[in-house]
Amino acid sequence: MNKKIPLDIANLPIYKSFKKSPYNSTKHLSYFHTYSELLNKYRDKKITFVEVGILDGGSLFMWRDFFGKKARIIGVEFNPAAKKWEKDGFEIFIGSQSDEKFWDHFFKKIGSVDIILDDGGHTNEQQIVTAHKCIPFIKDGGLLIVEDTHTSYMTKFGNPSNYSFIEWSKKIVDNINSRCQGISISELIYKRYVHSVRFFESIVCFEIDRMKAIDSLPIENGGEVFNTKDFKLKNTSLENAIFKSRYRFWLYFRLQNLKLKRFFR
Ligand SMILES: C[S@@+](CC[C@H](N)C(=O)[O-])C[C@H]1O[C@@H](n2cnc3c(N)ncnc32)[C@H](O)[C@@H]1O
């Protein structure tokens, strides 16, 4: 479907590369701003970029044009016909993204990479297994980008479900927050790799940085202390509630939650 493309998108280098590609690729309109925001800084760098899902090959050419000659572009695809793109200088690996052994073999051969973009089959299992196996092999400063995450809301993908990719991504948010001293809500391995998670329309991006994924605790700057009263509990009965009765403490938060409910509709 060819719509009128807004000028701010039409002028983006990634959009120009998309249009220049000699073979078919379909991308959502909103992705071009997201790609630009996430990927512009890697252009003309010696990076290893992996795309899961090749289909007609169009996006491989788009990435090569966008990242430039120094980039190593690798495609992963279940359909063996994709091997034909090797003649154009791409490295192609045939296998299923939901097969954990495939990824073991892949990283044994390739080593760590800079960016992985998952545009494969988009099922919960494919997206979660891919993220689980790939995150430990992404270099610091690198990204895992998962595309078409709207499938987490679609019945034909078995969703909504507690085990959708979006629900899994929210778990990673818990993991990040569990690095804060005293918060023990999640203990998955990703806690040591993922510095941040960004949610865009139909795209989730995990920024990998082991150096930044550190346990966190409050530190003071050493400046003069005035013992100023902290007003955060002012105008509430919270102080009384906390100190006088456990029941009132519980009740206070029950009432708060009822008031907040309208923001969750
Ligand atoms: C959306 S298309 C990829 C489009 C391409 N990235 C583009 O932008 O032009 C999805 C591709 O993922 C492949 N695919 C589906 N399930 C897969 C799996 N389990 N492992 C690897 N690739 C898979 C399909 O064969 C198909 O070629």
Side-chain angles (χ1 to χ4, degrees):
M1 201 200 310
N2 262 332
K3 298 191 189 87
K4 187 144 177 47
I5 306 300
L7 217 58
D8 59 321
I9 294 178
N11 287 329
L12 294 171
I14 183 65
Y15 182 77
K16 289 180 180 160
S17 299
F18 173 69
K19 290 298 282 182
K20 240 197 248 174
S21 174
Y23 304 107
N24 177 66
S25 172
T26 306
K27 298 287 187 192
H28 291 218
L29 198 58
S30 73
Y31 290 5
F32 297 99
H33 275 306
T34 306
Y35 289 152
S36 299
E37 208 169 310
L38 297 173
L39 300 173
N40 276 355
K41 69 173 178 182
Y42 300 96
R43 294 184 79 197
D44 299 317
K45 302 261 162 61
K46 202 170 173 287
I47 58 158
T48 301
F49 176 89
V50 181
E51 182 169 40
V52 182
I54 295 174
L55 201 65
D56 289 332
S59 52
L60 290 177
F61 288 81
M62 170 180 85
W63 296 122
R64 185 155 71 192
D65 186 71
F66 176 72
F67 286 117
K69 286 198 177 75
K70 289 186 214 155
R72 179 181 180 192
I73 310 284
I74 300 175
V76 168
E77 174 56 61
F78 207 5
N79 182 347
K83 271 280 180 198
K84 71 176 176 186
W85 301 114
E86 285 183 340
K87 71 174 178 353
D88 293 281
F90 301 105
E91 291 171 65
I92 305 297
F93 285 77
I94 302 300
S96 174
Q97 66 178 130
S98 51
D99 175 0
E100 298 199 30
K101 287 201 179 76
F102 165 77
W103 289 112
D104 292 337
H105 162 76
F106 178 84
F107 288 113
K108 208 167 169 189
K109 190 117 198 251
I110 294 297
S112 293
V113 303
D114 296 282
I115 302 165
I116 299 182
L117 185 140
D118 179 358
D119 185 25
H122 311 307
T123 67
N124 296 334
E125 187 189 20
Q126 287 164 340
Q127 291 172 333
I128 294 169
V129 169
T130 301
H132 172 75
K133 294 302 283 185
C134 292
I135 283 173
F137 291 96
I138 297 175
K139 294 178 197 167
D140 286 346
L143 306 174
L144 168 69
I145 300 169
V146 185
E147 238 172 70
D148 290 4
T149 53
H150 48 251
T151 56
S152 280
Y153 305 90
M154 295 168 77
T155 45
K156 69 175 180 183
F157 284 83
N159 291 315
S161 148
N162 289 339
Y163 300 98
S164 74
F165 180 74
I166 287 288
E167 289 303 320
W168 185 83
S169 305
K170 293 181 197 166
K171 264 270 188 260
I172 309 302
V173 176
D174 296 340
N175 265 251
I176 290 172
N177 284 314
S178 74
R179 296 198 291 260
C180 176
Q181 191 186 43
I183 309 290
S184 46
I185 45 180
S186 188
E187 271 296 338
L188 302 173
I189 58 154
Y190 323 106
K191 174 174 172 171
R192 300 286 162 213
Y193 296 91
V194 180
H195 177 235
S196 68
V197 184
R198 296 180 70 185
F199 291 86
F200 300 85
E201 184 267 308
S202 299
I203 288 184
V204 181
C205 176
F206 303 84
E207 185 200 349
I208 309 303
D209 204 321
R210 295 154 189 81
M211 299 291 281
K212 292 180 185 168
I214 52 170
D215 287 332
S216 176
L217 70 169
I219 56 159
E220 288 180 354
N221 69 351
E224 189 175 351
V225 178
F226 293 110
N227 290 321
T228 311
K229 187 167 169 49
D230 184 336
F231 263 38
K232 73 174 164 244
L233 302 179
K234 185 83 179 151
N235 294 331
T236 73
S237 52
L238 184 59
E239 266 174 308
N240 280 342
I242 292 171
F243 294 117
K244 290 202 177 135
S245 143
R246 262 171 188 270
Y247 172 71
R248 284 181 63 193
F249 177 81
W250 173 84
L251 191 64
Y252 173 82
F253 284 110
R254 275 300 290 239
L255 292 172
Q256 282 264 304
N257 290 348
L258 286 175
K259 275 205 266 175
L260 292 173
K261 219 171 174 175
R262 73 190 170 96
F263 296 110
F264 288 76
R265 279 191 203 116

